[in-house]
Amino acid sequence: MKKENDFIKNFNEDREITSQFLLIEKQIRKTKTNKPYLELTIQDKTGNIKARMFDGRPRKIYEKYQVNQVITIKGKVQEYPPESGNFNILIDTIFPSRKYDENDFIQKAENYEKNLKYLQDTLDSIEDTQLTKVVDAFFKDPEFYDKFIQAPAAKIHHHNYQGGLLTHTNEVVKICNALSDIYPELDRQLLVTGALLHDIGKIKTYTYDTNIIDINYEGQMLDHLYIGANMLESKLSNLDIDDKLKVQLIHMILSHHGEKSLGWGSTVDPKIPEAIALHYADDISAKLAKATK
């Protein structure tokens, strides 16, 4: 079992450490003087961190340990740059961990049950009969629902843990509700429905059967915006709702990364107020989740 102060979230000072971590990424890099060093990304249930080894035989260590392996690292937690609040580990030695508790390394959403309840409350709040048909087509499908509440929202950047998509979606819904309070001209029901559906493509974008989150082939080739829009269009083709509403919902998914010129993957600029609001709600959730991690 890891000691409480050895979890990554508790790294807040320079100190020696000997503890277990899950290896999720490894690379051989070079210093400014062209000397090779080992850089690892390691994880426990509270987050991930970089660990680097400059001395010894980094290439041999690189070949010895595999991604998704639990390892023990002896070294020093250090703040770099100084006074930055950013910590990493300077590795002295690495050796395999023979005994460990797997639950120490699996990142899961906090307040999971509360998030499930909030999702259900949000679904129940959709009173528009046409929009109810849309959300029911997804969230009353047991296969979709199970994948949605377990999926991560990203590989690295934000909400990158089991249940991360659920947490992120709820955050976006909350922000959209707040925006609707400030701007009553917004169609709250349309905006909240867009928030619920904006990242549905992520259930087909990532693999997360192990402790490692990775982008699968479909995700690499198509991206979650297209995948989500395609999923939505397929459902809408079997629903008796207005054509204009169908287009608006698809538009909100395709544009929720903002203007095309930003280069974040939108295939069309947000063109209706609800699409603009959704973009900024999504952006706030993603950026603040990362900034406050």
Side-chain angles (χ1 to χ4, degrees), residues 204-205 207 214-223 227:
K204 294 186 177 182
T205 300
T207 55
D214 205 358
I215 303 175
N216 59 31
Y217 184 72
E218 185 176 3
Q220 292 175 21
M221 294 294 103
L222 300 178
D223 191 73
I227 295 170

Side-chain angles (χ1 to χ4, degrees), residues 5-268:
N5 70 334
D6 287 345
F7 283 104
I8 291 169
K9 72 173 183 179
N10 297 322
F11 291 174
N12 54 20
E13 61 181 355
D14 291 1
R15 61 182 174 89
E16 302 296 325
I17 189 172
T18 301
S19 191
Q20 300 171 321
F21 301 93
L22 178 71
L23 175 59
I24 62 173
E25 191 175 76
K26 59 178 184 174
Q27 293 181 323
I28 294 291
R29 294 187 176 274
K30 290 190 177 181
T31 65
K32 293 180 180 179
T33 59
N34 215 34
K35 181 181 178 181
Y37 70 92
L38 178 67
E39 180 177 276
L40 307 179
T41 303
I42 54 177
Q43 170 181 300
D44 63 32
K45 67 181 181 181
T46 68
N48 56 58
I49 195 171
K50 296 292 185 183
R52 299 177 178 91
M53 174 180 274
F54 293 94
D55 299 322
R57 302 173 66 181
R59 293 192 184 278
K60 184 176 181 180
I61 299 294
Y62 175 90
E63 294 171 358
K64 181 176 180 180
Y65 296 100
Q66 305 304 315
V67 168
N68 213 26
Q69 180 178 0
V70 177
I71 56 176
T72 299
I73 289 178
K74 181 178 180 180
K76 182 179 181 180
V77 175
Q78 60 176 10
E79 184 179 18
Y80 186 83
E83 308 299 325
S84 67
N86 296 319
F87 289 86
N88 58 54
I89 298 177
L90 184 62
I91 302 170
D92 290 329
T93 58
I94 304 175
F95 46 94
S97 299
R98 305 300 182 190
K99 294 182 179 180
Y100 53 86
D101 184 348
E102 188 179 68
N103 291 318
D104 285 342
F105 310 102
I106 301 174
Q107 295 186 44
K108 296 181 179 180
E110 296 180 0
N111 301 315
Y112 188 67
E113 295 301 323
K114 288 185 178 179
N115 270 298
L116 287 175
K117 184 180 185 305
Y118 186 85
L119 173 64
Q120 188 57 55
D121 289 345
T122 301
L123 294 170
D124 292 341
S125 75
I126 305 297
E127 297 176 348
D128 182 282
T129 55
Q130 294 191 93
L131 293 174
T132 298
K133 291 179 184 178
V134 179
V135 295
D136 284 353
F138 285 100
F139 291 95
K140 288 192 174 181
D141 177 343
E143 182 179 1
F144 171 86
Y145 183 82
D146 287 345
K147 290 180 179 178
F148 183 89
I149 63 175
Q150 295 180 53
K155 177 181 178 180
I156 297 172
H157 299 295
H158 69 93
H159 302 90
N160 54 329
Y161 46 80
Q162 290 184 25
L165 178 58
L166 170 66
T167 302
H168 170 60
T169 299
N170 283 346
E171 288 177 5
V172 175
V173 169
K174 291 174 184 178
I175 296 167
C176 286
N177 272 318
L179 290 172
S180 296
D181 290 338
I182 299 169
Y183 298 98
E185 300 86 355
L186 291 169
D187 183 335
R188 183 190 297 265
Q189 298 267 298
L190 175 62
L191 180 54
V192 169
T193 300
L196 287 167
L197 301 176
H198 81 283
D199 269 350
I200 55 174
K202 289 186 174 180
I203 71 167
K204 294 186 177 182
T205 300
Y206 301 104
T207 55
Y208 47 95
D209 293 334
T210 67
N211 299 329
I212 306 297
I213 299 169
D214 205 358
I215 303 175
N216 59 31
Y217 184 72
E218 185 176 3
Q220 292 175 21
M221 294 294 103
L222 300 178
D223 191 73
H224 75 278
L225 277 78
Y226 172 83
I227 295 170
N230 190 51
M231 292 168 62
L232 177 57
E233 187 172 23
S234 178
K235 291 286 189 184
L236 292 175
S237 66
N238 296 315
L239 299 177
D240 181 21
I241 64 174
D242 294 341
D243 288 341
K244 181 179 179 180
L245 181 57
K246 291 180 180 180
V247 171
Q248 288 176 331
L249 289 169
I250 296 170
H251 170 76
M252 291 174 75
I253 289 184
L254 291 175
S255 66
H256 80 263
H257 277 191
E259 296 180 1
K260 292 187 293 181
S261 61
L262 294 173
W264 295 344
S266 290
T267 59
V268 62

